[in-house]
Amino acid sequence: MWRGVWRRLLAKETLLCALALLPGSIFVFTQLPPLWRDNDSIGQLNSPPGQFILLQFPALYPFLSRLPLFLASALTSLFHDTPLYVDAHAHVLLNDGGIYLLLVAQHLALLFALALFVVTVAPGRARRLVIILVALLTPVIFLSAQLISSEALGVILMILLLALALHILREEKSDWPTLGLFGICLFLNIMTRHVSAVFVAILPLGFLCAFLRPVGQTTSALLWRNFLRAVTIGALAICFSYATTFFLCVIFREPYRSIVSRTAVYRLDEIDQLPPAERAAFIRTLQDKADDPLIKDAIPIILEAKGYWSRSLLEIERLIEARHPPMPARERRKMTDASLAKIMGLFYSAAPPFLVENTRKAIANSLLQATDDEVSTAFLKIGVVSLQVFRESPRLRARTNGLTSCSAEAAGRITAFADRHWLSLANKIPCGILLVGSTALATLLALGRRLPRWRLHALCAILFTALLLMIGTFAVSPYSERQILPACIFAFASIALLLGGAGRRCEN
């Protein structure tokens, strides 16, 4: 299995596709400085293993992204004859050499992932060239590799996962070695972004969609077997990801707990949209449902703690310190997260109408309005704002002081890049329209036997997975453009599926 993977990765057609895609990475890398994402980027690169990079963010990107930093530090120590000091429990020293080495690694990984996807989705050189041109005219793909954030690795692994899923659906292979490779890639996705757990739906949905056409008894049994195996692999990937996080928490002595309520707390702030009388009545309703006096008192207090989720946790922690015997800081943080989870549980059990309506609006906005261009612009704006935050915060300024990648000149380069018109027609079309439109067109082509059925099944699976991703995301988080990044990748994959096989008459 692994030998076949390496042969495919280093095959002539894969390398040629990677070379053809190279101009996109070169342009972004040479014209843009690193794109930071406020305190989250610094924390992922710099913070010692603990609640931030084990629970708030999965460990894969923080752990991998430190390797270039350590390598650059090692080379500096070697040339200057100074000792290299590495402490797993200390903050990592940031350096420009390591940061730019990280970006190079991200771009190379993206190029090979994209090349493997193109080779998988398109059978001939002409079609591959067309898909490569579409990729080059989709800036958000290459901008993602310039991010100092887990989104960078998330996009790379997402493209790899799609390539594997398409290979399995095309060949109808559900042997355990092939599915095992898919499961490993799925595990890596989940260990990069929590929300990537939704990707377990791609392969089972692809096999289920095959039932949309009449099948014989033998084929039906084969499809059910494929479906059940795909579900099993997905479940194992999720279980292993949680077990890995738990194991890392044990190693680094961080109490394991769920932290999803930290993101969901922003939905709680939407209570302020209610008129004063209704707001007060809703808060009383939540308090009446609480059986813990601390929770009753915490509800109105955290509603006043606007801004970052850490402010809400700080208010709850103060209540715990005042009402409970002294306890170790880590245990107190665990109790704080548990208390916030109880509050959010009360909030969601109340099912306020504004929650459903705001979630619906966010999903509709994602489908009907959000474009690649908006997502790219959002990341560029975040990059500029992040550098300003680094300069204004004494704590962050101490960590980034002296880095050219965090200088005022870097902010100016980002602003200048944002004014460029590296856009295509697809960038002006909402991602949801592209997803739905490509699936509808694929249905018509498949009915006319101008598109292989497996491509239609894959398109349907991608569309439904994108919808599940949006529902899961916006049920716990208000809308923001950066959260549409996976939908942009799904939209590109959908277009590539059409371009890679539409037009030729086929029998299946």
Side-chain angles (χ1 to χ4, degrees):
M1 177 182 69
W2 296 109
R3 192 174 298 172
V5 172
W6 279 113
R7 280 201 301 265
R8 187 68 175 271
L9 191 62
L10 300 177
K12 180 181 178 181
E13 58 267 25
T14 306
L15 294 175
L16 288 175
C17 287
L19 285 174
L21 290 160
L22 186 59
S25 282
I26 291 178
F27 181 75
V28 169
F29 183 80
T30 57
Q31 298 298 315
L32 262 181
L35 294 177
W36 299 86
R37 194 164 72 75
D38 52 63
N39 190 50
D40 289 347
S41 291
I42 296 293
Q44 289 179 41
L45 254 65
N46 178 257
S47 296
Q51 62 168 336
F52 193 78
I53 64 169
L54 296 179
L55 299 172
Q56 181 69 23
F57 292 96
L60 185 60
Y61 185 77
F63 280 30
L64 287 180
S65 62
R66 288 154 196 247
L67 298 179
L69 297 175
F70 289 142
L71 178 58
S73 296
L75 292 175
T76 302
S77 301
L78 180 64
F79 286 111
H80 292 83
D81 196 25
T82 57
L84 175 66
Y85 176 75
V86 177
D87 184 355
H89 298 278
H91 287 281
V92 176
L93 180 64
L94 300 178
N95 57 80
D96 280 316
I99 290 169
Y100 280 101
L101 186 59
L102 171 62
L103 294 184
V104 170
Q106 290 178 175
H107 277 284
L108 287 175
L110 174 67
L111 289 175
F112 275 97
L114 265 177
L116 193 62
F117 174 81
V118 172
V119 169
T120 303
V121 81
R125 292 181 180 177
R127 291 176 182 265
R128 287 171 186 169
L129 181 59
V130 172
I131 295 172
I132 287 170
L133 289 175
V134 172
L136 290 173
L137 293 172
T138 309
V140 71
I141 296 176
F142 298 95
L143 282 177
S144 68
Q146 201 72 5
L147 294 170
I148 306 294
S149 176
S150 56
E151 279 98 345
L153 183 58
V155 168
I156 295 166
L157 292 174
M158 182 180 174
I159 293 172
L160 279 177
L161 189 74
L162 286 171
L164 287 170
L166 297 180
H167 172 74
I168 293 171
L169 292 174
R170 182 186 65 194
E171 303 296 330
E172 294 187 350
K173 279 189 174 182
S174 64
D175 56 285
W176 288 114
T178 304
L179 287 176
L181 184 61
F182 177 84
I184 292 172
C185 189
L186 184 57
F187 164 78
L188 295 176
N189 270 272
I190 300 171
M191 287 301 298
T192 302
R193 302 285 293 171
H194 293 299
V195 73
S196 297
V198 176
F199 296 164
V200 301
I202 292 178
L203 209 52
L205 284 173
F207 287 128
L208 275 182
C209 288
F211 284 102
L212 295 175
R213 72 179 193 273
V215 295
Q217 186 174 359
T218 303
T219 304
S220 177
L222 176 64
L223 289 175
W224 277 118
R225 186 191 69 182
N226 292 343
F227 170 77
L228 292 175
R229 286 186 174 184
V231 170
T232 301
I233 285 294
L236 287 174
I238 292 177
C239 290
F240 275 114
S241 65
Y242 279 105
T244 301
T245 300
F246 179 82
F247 180 67
L248 290 172
C249 285
V250 172
I251 291 177
F252 293 101
R253 299 180 180 178
E254 178 66 40
Y256 179 82
R257 71 271 191 191
S258 171
I259 48 81
V260 68
S261 55
R262 297 182 181 183
T263 302
V265 75
Y266 298 113
R267 281 296 186 198
L268 186 69
D269 287 341
E270 293 175 351
I271 292 175
D272 293 338
Q273 298 176 4
L274 297 173
E278 292 184 27
R279 180 184 185 276
F282 186 77
I283 293 174
R284 284 195 300 271
T285 300
L286 295 182
Q287 290 177 307
D288 291 341
K289 290 183 177 181
D291 54 7
D292 185 342
L294 186 145
I295 300 299
K296 290 179 183 288
D297 293 340
I299 291 173
I301 292 176
I302 65 172
L303 274 173
E304 301 304 323
K306 305 300 179 187
Y308 205 54
W309 51 262
S310 59
R311 297 181 185 176
S312 298
L313 290 180
L314 181 61
E315 294 299 330
I316 296 176
E317 193 168 356
R318 286 172 178 169
L319 288 177
I320 292 174
E321 287 179 325
R323 302 188 182 196
H324 286 266
M327 63 180 72
R330 292 183 177 182
E331 290 300 322
R332 187 170 64 249
R333 290 200 299 267
K334 181 179 180 180
M335 186 175 181
T336 301
D337 277 307
S339 300
L340 184 60
K342 290 179 182 179
I343 293 173
M344 295 313 303
L346 294 172
F347 174 72
Y348 279 98
S349 65
F354 62 83
L355 172 63
V356 178
E357 179 61 17
N358 290 342
T359 302
R360 184 196 65 79
K361 287 181 178 179
I363 295 172
N365 190 35
S366 303
L367 290 172
L368 303 176
Q369 297 183 33
T371 66
D372 285 3
D373 184 30
E374 290 182 4
V375 177
S376 299
T377 302
F379 279 116
L380 293 172
K381 288 181 178 178
I382 292 172
V384 174
V385 172
S386 297
L387 297 183
Q388 181 180 351
V389 171
F390 296 168
R391 291 192 298 270
E392 294 175 352
S393 168
R395 177 177 60 87
L396 297 179
R397 185 170 60 249
R399 298 184 188 181
T400 59
N401 190 34
L403 296 177
T404 59
S405 53
C406 297
S407 64
E409 187 269 341
R413 289 176 59 195
I414 297 174
T415 302
F417 186 91
D419 293 334
R420 296 178 184 270
H421 297 287
W422 180 28
L423 303 173
S424 68
L425 180 61
N427 292 136
K428 298 300 184 183
I429 303 175
C431 298
I433 299 297
L434 290 174
L435 284 166
V436 175
S438 58
T439 306
L441 180 57
T443 303
L444 295 175
L445 290 171
L447 290 175
R449 295 187 176 181
R450 295 291 179 179
L451 186 76
R453 288 279 181 171
W454 73 267
R455 291 182 182 268
L456 174 60
H457 304 158
L459 278 163
C460 291
I462 288 174
L463 174 61
F464 292 141
T465 303
L467 290 173
L468 289 174
L469 184 64
M470 291 178 186
I471 293 171
T473 299
F474 297 122
V476 297
S477 175
Y479 174 85
S480 70
E481 290 84 354
R482 68 176 182 82
Q483 294 167 325
I484 312 300
L485 180 58
C488 296
I489 306 303
F490 278 141
F492 165 74
S494 298
I495 295 171
L497 268 168
L498 274 178
L499 295 175
R504 297 175 179 175
R505 187 166 182 83
C506 53
E507 297 300 324
N508 58 344

